[in-house]
Amino acid sequence: MPGRDHPTKNELLKGTLDMLVLQTLSMQPLHGYGIAQQIEALSDEALRVEQGSLYPALERLQKKGWITSKWGESPTGRRARYYTITAAGRRQLGNEISSFDNMLVAINRVLRRA
């Protein structure tokens, strides 16, 4: 089957979207489209966040108290919801990065690269 040999961008993102969103918001408050653009730009376009994944993630992060939001105006003059990371979100980001680093070390052991 075509595409089965190589993971898609979305498959690479599974399980890491919350961490990537929190990291992006740790730099500055952004609206949803801005978050997606920033992740894509910082990853040299290797990662693409679809709206169908991003907005449920933003809602989930907000319910957990890791981000807040308020309405504002985008650079294009449109009304947009801007998201900001909270202190609890920064703590969670640290936990997620630590867990992710530990997972990478374990994967590299299996691959005999460390």
Side-chain angles (χ1 to χ4, degrees), residues 17-18 50-62:
L17 181 57
D18 290 0
E50 301 293 336
Q51 287 185 9
S53 300
L54 178 61
Y55 289 98
L58 290 169
E59 187 175 323
R60 182 174 59 251
L61 293 171
Q62 198 162 1

Side-chain angles (χ1 to χ4, degrees), residues 7-85:
T8 66
K9 291 178 184 180
N10 286 339
E11 287 173 331
L12 293 174
L13 202 50
K14 269 185 188 165
T16 60
L17 181 57
D18 290 0
M19 178 178 62
L20 295 175
V21 169
L22 290 172
Q23 176 62 31
T24 302
L25 292 175
S26 74
M27 295 178 240
Q28 66 182 0
L30 287 167
H31 53 76
Y33 182 68
I35 293 167
Q37 284 184 309
Q38 187 75 352
I39 291 171
E40 190 169 335
L42 290 173
S43 70
D44 290 331
E45 299 184 18
L47 300 174
R48 182 180 212 164
V49 182
E50 301 293 336
Q51 287 185 9
S53 300
L54 178 61
Y55 289 98
L58 290 169
E59 187 175 323
R60 182 174 59 251
L61 293 171
Q62 198 162 1
K63 283 182 181 177
K64 291 181 178 182
W66 297 340
I67 64 173
T68 60
S69 67
K70 67 179 180 180
W71 288 99
E73 190 174 305
S74 74
T76 61
R78 292 184 177 187
R79 189 177 156 154
R81 181 173 269 181
Y82 279 80
Y83 298 89
T84 304
I85 192 169

Side-chain angles (χ1 to χ4, degrees), residues 88-105:
R90 288 185 187 279
R91 285 190 299 276
Q92 180 62 25
L93 174 60
N95 293 338
E96 290 194 24
I97 289 172
S98 179
S99 294
F100 188 76
D101 286 343
N102 290 337
M103 184 180 10
L104 287 177
V105 168

